[in-house]
Amino acid sequence: MIIKTAEDLKKVKEEALDEATARINDGTQIMVGMGTCGIAAGAREVMAKIMEEVGKRNLKVAITWTGCIGMCEKEVLVDVIRPDSKRITYGNVTPQVVQRIITEHVINGNIVEDYVVGKLDK
Amino acid sequence: MQIYRGHVLVCTGTGCVSSGSRKVKAEMEKQLEAFKLEQEIKVVETGCHGFCEMGPIVIVYPEGIFYCQVKPEDVKEIVEEHLLKGRPVKRLMFKDRITEEMVPHYNDIDFYKKQNRIVLRNCGFINPENIKEYIARGGYEALAKALTEMTPEQVIEEVKASGLRGRGGGGFPTGLKWGFARAAKGDKKYVICNADEGDPGAFMDRSILEGDPHALIEGMAIAGYAIGADEGYIYVRAEYPLAIKRLKIAIAQAHEMGLLGEDIFGSGFNFKLNIKEGAGAFVCGEETALIASIEGRRGEPRVRPPFPANKGLWGKPSNVNNVETFANVSRIIVNGSQWFASMGTEKSKGTKVFALTGKVKNTGLAEVTMGLTLREIIFDIGGGIINNKKFKAVQIGGPSGGCIPEQLLDLPIDYDSLIQAGAMMGSGGLVVMDEDTCMVELARFFLNFTQLESCGKCTPCREGTKIMLDILERITKGEGKEGDIELLESLAVTIKSTALCGLGQTAPNPVLATLRYFRDEYEAHIKEKRCPAGVCSALASYTILEDKCKGCTACARVCPVQAISGEVKKPHKIDNSKCIRCGACMETCKFSAIIKK
């Protein structure tokens, strides 16, 4: 596209920022436990679903991943860290639960209490 | 839009490419496919991170985990352990030299902690071949602001108020220079970028060109608007193929998006850029020689005035600045002159990028606020001297600069303090030397460089540097005479005041600075025929330590001139009248019984 005004430049910047969310981000973070236990319990599918949802809704969210954190029987574990609140850990997450976490918590800020296994101050 | 949960940044600056980063990148792509992660993780090529010592460098985002010295065979582990299972690979992280702990994050490494990255802020963070990544970081906002909200005079005032001075070496106030070119009468004007980085050991301009080429383009376009030029030239040496390639890509992308070309931001301002590849002559870093070279003539300087601001390229008013100077401009326009002027010392504002090389642990690029001390740069950022040897001096400003000895390590660095100390900022090359460096030999080395690079147009430089070099060569060979030092000094002063251009005027600096701080070494060479650092082989003498010698006869057997004698199992002796100082005995001795003095 041809940039003719400062507004045009801003539009291109916003698009470009979307593509660079993994690097430039200070907002919400979703973290998936990807230890052997997590992967065995379906963390790959959960990750794929999270990426699909985030991509579909064009959310500015950093998707990170971590190793086993020791609560293996509750895997798949997913943490949602919003800049303004506690770090919430969800357990037994399936692709279906992902959808709820994204729409209720990530977008609207309402914690999905049914699946919460831990709340941490950051 | 395809989203990726992670970005793997692989450094493809020249330093990391030569240590194998292309293979690492290819292997990374292969392994991501093998683990079916290619839709989730994106591999991004970046420019130089500055920490070239530790290359190839790989950084994984969003966490920002910093891996160094990554080999292709390490890649599978990174992919499987870190990218798939979320367990960063500790053994590939940077190991702190003091605590020996692994440091996972970029910003926690000592090398980066004391830096203030303004010019280098995008280097190593964005893909230089993708204009959108530059725009994502606020790129071209300065150009938009200048063209749509400011008059050319306001741009010049802003640059003046910031206190920005030329980063190529001279330190002339940039805003003032722009003002001269603006005031010059003419329907056609040019903006020229001097990217003819020729100092041995300097590579900051190359890293900017390779890592963030749009920063230069944006700075040049703003300068064009300020002085009233619609065309620019980037004079870059042909030895920088990667820099040229990325510049070409960047210029083409900027044209496609209308950020170069006609009627930019609908302001009626036109600007286009050309690249001129230089053949690598040091003298072409001098602005009038550079202009002659662009015009297709021999790269020879001419008398100034007239200055390029009035009569430059093809006789038209031209403004010449260095890469780093232009790269500062967009930051000043966006953040304001106050912000820029708040950093640094009274007369030197902002930051300076230094290229750390020589006997220092962390070689690489360091951008620091003006006024930091050499000690902080060499010991805190640079990590100190290799093999924990003793620091002797640092050559600053390349062959045009001078050396700074240990007693001045706490000198806050800015343009003026360095001139007072007998050195100069130059382009910012820092060559660190340890106790094993001979200062006479050092002066000879740099003078040999400038002598070879002298274009020969003016007599003081052509003949004067040759005579100085002859004298230095004699001294290092042990043939120095009484009066040599005085002759060197008198020649140096004459050349400095009579040479035509900066090359000749600064060529004697390394000799004057070493004479100023290490005169005793010159005297030892001349009067005692001794090289205190043990470097000048013609002056070295080898001795066998009796208490360490086992009488194994290895040295006597290897000596090509039978200068070593002695009985088996008894200490040997060297006959210094026969010895040709080849050093073969010392290399052969297994008991460290032979020393060189």
Side-chain angles (χ1 to χ4, degrees):
Chain A
M1 110 171 235
I2 304 270
I3 296 173
K4 269 289 159 222
T5 61
E7 276 303 304
D8 294 347
L9 183 67
K10 212 171 159 188
K11 261 183 234 153
V12 175
K13 182 181 178 179
E14 267 158 26
E15 273 173 40
L17 272 174
D18 288 344
E19 286 170 29
T21 314
R23 258 175 292 161
I24 308 164
N25 186 293
D26 42 19
T28 303
Q29 195 186 336
I30 304 177
M31 192 193 279
V32 185
M34 299 277 272
T36 305
C37 44
I39 293 175
R44 301 276 295 140
E45 290 74 26
V46 168
M47 175 63 94
K49 183 71 181 169
I50 293 174
M51 288 181 60
E52 186 196 317
E53 289 291 322
V54 168
K56 200 165 69 188
R57 294 164 201 272
N58 198 8
L59 301 174
K60 287 206 172 36
V61 169
I63 305 166
T64 63
W65 58 104
T66 185
C68 174
I69 51 171
M71 241 193 304
C72 307
E73 82 282 3
K74 295 255 168 54
E75 290 281 8
V76 177
L77 293 165
V78 172
D79 286 17
V80 173
I81 307 150
R82 286 173 61 102
D84 51 350
S85 71
K86 288 185 174 196
R87 169 176 175 164
I88 306 299
T89 304
Y90 293 105
N92 297 318
V93 178
T94 60
Q96 290 73 38
V97 182
V98 166
Q99 201 151 8
R100 281 191 65 196
I101 294 174
I102 299 270
T103 48
E104 293 173 30
H105 188 182
V106 176
I107 298 177
N108 292 314
N110 303 319
I111 296 165
V112 187
E113 298 288 351
D114 317 356
Y115 291 92
V116 172
V117 293
K119 293 184 184 180
L120 270 178
D121 286 321
K122 278 171 287 181
Chain B
M1 186 188 67
Q2 166 93 36
I3 73 146
Y4 293 92
R5 64 179 163 96
H7 289 185
V8 176
L9 273 52
V10 180
C11 178
T12 52
T14 293
C16 282
V17 167
S18 54
S19 56
S21 67
R22 292 234 183 269
K23 281 187 192 150
V24 169
K25 187 186 168 230
E27 183 67 18
M28 184 64 74
E29 282 163 348
K30 201 176 116 192
Q31 292 296 340
L32 285 176
E33 237 170 85
F35 284 95
K36 299 198 169 53
L37 288 170
E38 76 273 16
Q39 297 299 318
E40 296 179 25
I41 312 278
K42 180 156 104 173
V43 181
V44 182
E45 275 191 33
T46 71
C48 183
H49 291 81
F51 206 0
C52 309
E53 178 75 25
M54 286 288 139
I57 287 168
V58 172
I59 303 183
V60 179
Y61 282 93
E63 307 105 301
I65 302 282
F66 182 90
Y67 292 124
C68 47
Q69 294 180 326
V70 178
K71 291 181 216 58
E73 45 285 19
D74 299 326
V75 170
K76 189 175 175 212
E77 191 177 342
I78 296 180
V79 173
E80 186 170 5
E81 285 297 307
H82 184 175
L83 301 179
L84 183 64
K85 297 182 184 165
R87 293 190 291 235
V89 184
K90 269 207 171 145
R91 70 171 184 93
L92 294 170
M93 291 174 190
F94 179 76
K95 189 172 173 186
D96 190 278
R97 293 185 205 274
I98 298 161
T99 62
E100 304 228 316
E101 271 171 30
M102 293 310 200
V103 187
H105 296 284
Y106 202 19
N107 297 329
D108 295 331
I109 297 172
D110 279 343
F111 180 75
Y112 292 107
K113 258 198 254 170
K114 280 215 170 179
Q115 295 199 36
N116 179 9
R117 300 193 138 213
I118 292 169
V119 171
L120 299 179
R121 68 189 192 105
N122 287 333
C123 284
F125 192 75
I126 64 166
N127 178 348
E129 296 183 12
N130 183 352
I131 189 171
K132 285 194 174 172
E133 297 216 345
Y134 180 69
I135 292 174
R137 297 274 282 166
Y140 290 104
E141 282 171 14
L143 184 62
K145 184 177 172 188
L147 294 186
T148 58
E149 296 170 27
M150 298 166 84
T151 64
E153 288 78 10
Q154 282 172 329
V155 172
I156 291 175
E157 279 314 310
E158 194 71 7
V159 175
K160 264 189 203 167
S162 73
L164 176 66
R165 294 169 67 173
R167 297 292 192 249
F172 193 80
T174 306
L176 212 55
K177 206 174 192 177
W178 289 14
F180 295 149
R182 168 106 206 137
K185 287 199 169 54
D187 48 345
K188 177 85 185 175
K189 295 180 187 178
Y190 293 98
V191 174
I192 299 170
C193 172
N194 183 348
D196 190 55
E197 186 173 49
D199 293 12
F203 53 99
M204 57 290 287
D205 292 346
R206 193 195 71 213
S207 292
I208 297 167
L209 297 172
E210 287 177 3
D212 197 14
H214 288 285
L216 169 66
I217 294 171
E218 190 177 4
M220 287 184 77
I222 294 169
Y225 174 69
I227 70 165
D230 63 354
E231 192 169 0
Y233 277 86
I234 303 170
Y235 188 89
V236 53
R237 38 183 52 214
E239 293 128 307
Y240 284 181
L242 186 61
I244 294 169
K245 179 189 152 206
R246 291 196 173 145
L247 265 177
K248 284 185 176 159
I249 293 172
I251 291 172
Q253 288 180 347
H255 264 287
E256 268 168 37
M257 299 199 94
L259 297 165
L260 283 177
E262 312 263 294
D263 191 25
I264 303 167
F265 283 109
S267 64
F269 170 67
N270 308 330
F271 195 69
K272 65 172 182 178
L273 274 177
N274 309 293
I275 295 175
K276 168 74 187 174
E277 292 179 32
F282 186 61
V283 72
C284 288
E286 198 281 338
E287 57 183 11
T288 59
L290 185 151
I291 288 170
S293 176
I294 295 179
E295 291 171 351
R297 295 185 289 120
R298 263 179 83 148
E300 284 181 346
R302 61 159 174 81
V303 177
R304 297 178 303 178
F307 286 91
N310 295 309
K311 258 185 180 316
L313 187 58
W314 288 299
K316 309 289 183 195
S318 306
N319 176 73
V320 187
N321 285 130
N322 144 284
V323 177
E324 197 185 328
T325 315
F326 282 125
N328 270 298
V329 169
S330 68
R331 295 299 92 206
I332 293 171
I333 298 298
V334 165
N335 298 325
S337 54
Q338 289 291 318
W339 164 82
F340 193 81
S342 69
M343 296 177 288
T345 63
E346 195 195 336
K347 287 186 177 161
S348 304
K349 303 298 186 189
T351 60
K352 177 77 191 91
V353 184
F354 291 99
L356 265 175
T357 55
K359 302 286 174 66
V360 65
K361 282 180 185 160
N362 303 335
T363 52
L365 278 191
E367 180 175 355
V368 300
T369 309
M370 295 270 191
L372 213 68
T373 66
L374 279 169
R375 190 186 299 282
E376 287 170 291
I377 297 175
I378 295 166
F379 289 88
D380 297 346
I381 295 172
I385 311 298
I386 295 174
N387 294 330
N388 294 318
K389 292 219 172 187
K390 202 166 153 345
F391 170 86
K392 185 167 189 176
V394 55
Q395 177 76 16
I396 178 162
S400 312
C403 64
I404 304 276
E406 198 188 0
Q407 62 265 32
L408 292 180
L409 268 180
D410 292 310
L411 184 78
I413 306 185
D414 67 16
Y415 289 100
D416 312 292
S417 67
L418 287 174
I419 296 276
Q420 270 174 17
M424 65 185 257
M425 187 74 86
S427 56
L430 289 178
V431 183
V432 178
M433 293 164 284
D434 67 8
E435 54 194 324
D436 295 336
T437 311
C438 168
M439 301 314 280
V440 185
E441 167 56 25
L442 174 88
R444 190 205 62 79
F445 172 84
F446 281 115
L447 201 68
N448 185 48
F449 177 86
T450 33
Q451 213 284 316
L452 285 171
E453 294 291 341
S454 169
C455 76
K457 186 171 178 177
C458 75
T459 316
C461 179
R462 184 184 66 239
E463 303 295 330
T465 57
K466 181 81 180 85
I467 299 170
M468 286 183 76
L469 181 62
D470 286 346
I471 298 171
L472 287 170
E473 277 176 353
R474 271 200 292 107
I475 296 176
T476 54
K477 282 185 191 151
E479 295 158 15
K481 299 184 297 219
E482 276 297 321
D484 274 350
I485 294 180
E486 291 72 19
L487 186 55
L488 277 176
E489 282 173 329
S490 127
L491 281 164
V493 172
T494 308
I495 296 169
K496 268 177 88 85
S497 55
T498 56
L500 176 59
C501 81
L503 191 154
Q505 287 158 11
T506 58
N509 282 350
V511 180
L512 288 172
T514 46
L515 270 172
R516 178 166 168 183
Y517 298 114
F518 299 95
R519 200 181 184 93
D520 53 329
E521 287 197 22
Y522 280 83
E523 284 168 353
H525 280 77
I526 295 169
K527 292 181 186 152
E528 302 161 35
K529 306 291 176 208
R530 182 173 67 82
C531 174
V535 172
C536 300
S537 55
L539 294 173
S541 77
Y542 292 87
T543 321
I544 297 177
L545 300 170
E546 276 193 26
D547 52 328
K548 283 197 175 171
C549 179
K550 310 275 183 213
C552 74
T553 75
C555 57
R557 276 180 279 136
V558 82
C559 178
V561 291
Q562 283 85 44
I564 303 178
S565 57
E567 285 174 45
V568 181
K569 296 194 178 170
K570 285 189 180 159
H572 282 45
K573 268 211 160 81
I574 300 176
D575 180 351
N576 262 310
S577 62
K578 283 189 190 165
C579 175
I580 56 164
R581 286 138 190 122
C582 67
C585 52
M586 196 166 133
E587 278 170 33
T588 310
C589 182
K590 288 184 183 135
F591 309 102
S592 310
I594 301 179
I595 54 160
K596 182 180 169 187
K597 275 195 282 199

